[in-house]
Amino acid sequence: MNETIFIILIISCSVMELLIIAGALLFYFRLKRSQTLMNTLQDNQQSLLARIEMNARLEREIVATFAQRQSELRELDSKLEDRARSLRKLLEQAEGIARSPQFLREIILNGRKKGLSSRQIALNSGLSVDEVELILAQNP
């Protein structure tokens, strides 16, 4: 009887040892899987941080470029305004010259030299036919 109890006890201990070894192996494999998952998550986190850093750098470059473009646009706008003012002055001068009596007389005399009629000269110069004929009568 002692022997059977001793054998049962040895078998029970062996079964317990096998269960403990199986539990340890199961724990080891789960730990290994968790470690692999943790490494993957760390790699993904590093990749995400690198992408965030790159996006932040690109955003800084875009903002800097945008500010530079805005500055260039302001400069171009002021130059364009200066050019528009100077062109307005030139246009006013040209209109003044175009309405001067001397210039109109030159237009009329040149039209006569080209063989245009008084009506055609009047249309070209913006004067009436009578005014054109008066100027032509003064300069035969």
Side-chain angles (χ1 to χ4, degrees), residues 62-78:
I62 288 171
V63 167
T65 302
F66 181 74
Q68 180 184 0
R69 297 285 185 246
Q70 288 295 98
S71 172
E72 290 172 358
L73 284 174
R74 281 191 292 276
E75 185 179 325
L76 286 174
D77 187 46
S78 70

Side-chain angles (χ1 to χ4, degrees), residues 45-66:
Q45 182 183 19
Q46 292 299 327
S47 173
L48 179 64
L49 287 175
R51 281 187 280 168
I52 289 172
E53 183 180 327
M54 183 179 69
N55 286 343
R57 185 173 32 85
L58 287 173
E59 184 178 348
R60 283 191 302 271
E61 289 174 7
I62 288 171
V63 167
T65 302
F66 181 74

Side-chain angles (χ1 to χ4, degrees), residues 1-2 16 18 26 40 47 72 74 76 89 107 116 118 121 135:
M1 171 116 176
N2 278 344
M16 289 297 277
L18 287 174
L26 180 65
T40 303
S47 173
E72 290 172 358
R74 281 191 292 276
L76 286 174
K89 285 181 185 177
I107 290 175
L116 298 176
S118 297
I121 295 171
I135 291 173

Side-chain angles (χ1 to χ4, degrees), residues 27-60:
F27 178 76
Y28 173 77
F29 287 125
R30 290 185 75 190
L31 181 65
K32 194 69 167 165
R33 188 174 54 190
S34 295
Q35 186 179 16
T36 304
L37 182 61
M38 187 67 106
N39 288 338
T40 303
L41 288 174
Q42 284 179 343
D43 291 343
N44 288 343
Q45 182 183 19
Q46 292 299 327
S47 173
L48 179 64
L49 287 175
R51 281 187 280 168
I52 289 172
E53 183 180 327
M54 183 179 69
N55 286 343
R57 185 173 32 85
L58 287 173
E59 184 178 348
R60 283 191 302 271

Side-chain angles (χ1 to χ4, degrees), residues 98-99 103-129 131-132:
R99 291 287 141 210
F103 184 72
L104 288 173
R105 186 161 70 251
E106 289 295 321
I107 290 175
I108 292 168
L109 294 176
N110 285 338
R112 176 57 72 175
K113 287 178 187 176
K114 290 179 183 177
L116 298 176
S117 68
S118 297
R119 181 176 294 280
Q120 290 171 325
I121 295 171
L123 288 173
N124 290 345
S125 64
L127 299 173
S128 68
V129 176
E131 291 172 318
V132 170

